[in-house]
Amino acid sequence: MLGALVANKASPLSRIAEQLGAAVRQATPEMVEADCLRNAANRWKYVAPESLPASAPAKELSAEPHAFSRVFTGAFHELLSRMLRDTIASPSADELASVAADAGRLLIDAVASAPVQPDFFAQVGTRMIDADGAAFAGRYGGVIREVLVGRRILTAAAPGHRPTTADGKQAARLRMAAVATGGEQQTLEIDAAPYGLSSAGILVDVPRAVGATAAPTGQRTLSVADSTAALERSADRFIGVLFENQRIALPARTRVLGIAATARGAGRRATHALSRTDGHLRLSRLRFDGAG
């Protein structure tokens, strides 16, 4: 297993949910890997979710959250492999445990400080570089950058210097205000007509746009207006994915046409619901789906 990880190849470590994958394979074999539910040793690269289908067989990438998550899962597996291979000539199991703990710390620190925005993968990736500067004086920063640029999560303009402890601490301080703002909510109104609904619009609660102060280091900075537009596109596509995957429950006696008509069969598959609010329809979550 250690050799496979160092080579970034499939192993018992990379094969996620083997038994669940075997069960799903009995009904829909095309929706899972051949030997597990999903494999962390993959080659998926980031593309805009808006350009992807709502669902697809396991051999393809889709905008369905569980399927799309394979992009970052694969990047993290590759990152762990590179952190181990590039810093230790012949790693042992104990050294693997130590490097894995470092990688986990960087990921947790990054997720905790990254504002929830449409470019969340990039936000997390850049904050991993910041966290490395603060915690490990830039020991892994170059590897993180190379892997995430290779996966198209970060652009080639992402930070290329070796971050220092001071860099990491300063970056963390500069972004604290943006993170706090990112925890606030705003309501967007999404056009309901394309979904075959006759209401004035669909109200969706999303994180508040944070603008340039939260842009990843070396990435193109966005104004608040640009960030809001990106949130609107993401919210619109999210609603479309929910409808296409029959995940939205509609209010009784709602007239629907087109794609929204598929929601009639959502039933217990529904993870979200639309409710009437002053001529609008408000989207709310019913439950999380862990079986996708």
Side-chain angles (χ1 to χ4, degrees):
M1 183 178 72
L2 183 57
L5 174 62
V6 171
N8 193 33
K9 294 182 178 180
S11 70
L13 177 66
S14 72
R15 288 192 284 270
I16 301 169
E18 292 171 279
Q19 291 180 324
L20 179 57
V24 175
R25 200 174 300 114
Q26 303 306 307
T28 53
E30 72 281 2
M31 300 307 291
V32 296
E33 304 279 352
D35 54 359
C36 59
L37 187 68
R38 283 179 285 275
N39 201 315
N42 64 58
R43 294 291 184 269
W44 296 116
K45 296 182 179 181
Y46 184 91
V47 295
E50 301 94 308
S51 67
L52 295 172
S55 62
K59 65 181 180 180
E60 302 172 22
L61 196 61
S62 77
E64 195 281 323
H66 297 89
F68 192 73
S69 71
R70 293 180 295 172
V71 174
F72 202 93
T73 300
F76 189 76
H77 185 276
E78 181 181 356
L79 177 59
L80 179 58
S81 170
R82 286 287 306 278
M83 287 171 65
L84 190 64
R85 185 173 72 236
D86 291 12
T87 58
I88 304 170
S90 299
S92 65
D94 287 343
E95 288 167 328
L96 166 60
S98 177
V99 171
D102 290 349
R105 175 179 175 180
L106 294 178
L107 180 61
I108 291 170
D109 288 351
V111 170
S113 65
V116 179
Q117 296 291 298
D119 63 345
F120 187 63
F121 283 6
Q123 298 282 354
V124 170
T126 307
R127 280 156 181 78
M128 288 183 73
I129 297 174
D130 292 344
D132 175 63
F136 304 115
R139 182 190 311 165
Y140 303 114
V143 171
I144 297 171
R145 178 182 179 276
E146 287 179 22
V147 170
L148 297 186
V149 168
R151 294 282 178 152
R152 299 177 185 166
I153 291 172
L154 294 180
T155 70
H161 70 290
R162 182 179 177 87
T164 65
T165 301
D167 290 333
K169 290 181 177 179
Q170 181 178 9
R173 285 195 299 269
L174 290 174
R175 290 176 181 144
M176 284 305 293
V179 173
T181 304
E184 299 174 1
Q185 296 284 304
Q186 63 179 327
T187 300
L188 299 180
E189 181 176 339
I190 305 300
D191 187 7
Y195 300 107
L197 297 167
S198 58
S199 70
I202 301 174
L203 303 180
V204 185
D205 293 327
V206 301
R208 186 170 298 281
V210 296
T213 56
T217 306
Q219 303 285 90
R220 184 173 68 89
T221 58
L222 298 179
S223 66
V224 171
D226 287 340
S227 294
T228 299
L231 284 166
E232 290 174 346
R233 291 192 299 271
S234 295
D236 193 5
R237 181 55 181 146
F238 181 66
I239 292 171
V241 169
L242 290 176
F243 271 125
E244 290 181 55
N245 289 328
Q246 294 186 311
R247 296 295 190 179
I248 294 183
L250 298 175
R253 297 184 297 279
T254 300
R255 291 185 58 191
V256 294
L257 298 169
I259 187 174
T262 63
R264 294 296 191 198
R268 283 189 285 180
R269 286 177 53 83
T271 56
H272 293 72
L274 292 175
S275 57
R276 294 190 181 90
T277 305
D278 298 328
H280 294 78
L281 290 171
R282 176 173 288 279
L283 183 71
S284 59
R285 181 179 288 279
L286 297 174
R287 61 181 66 88
F288 286 92
D289 171 40

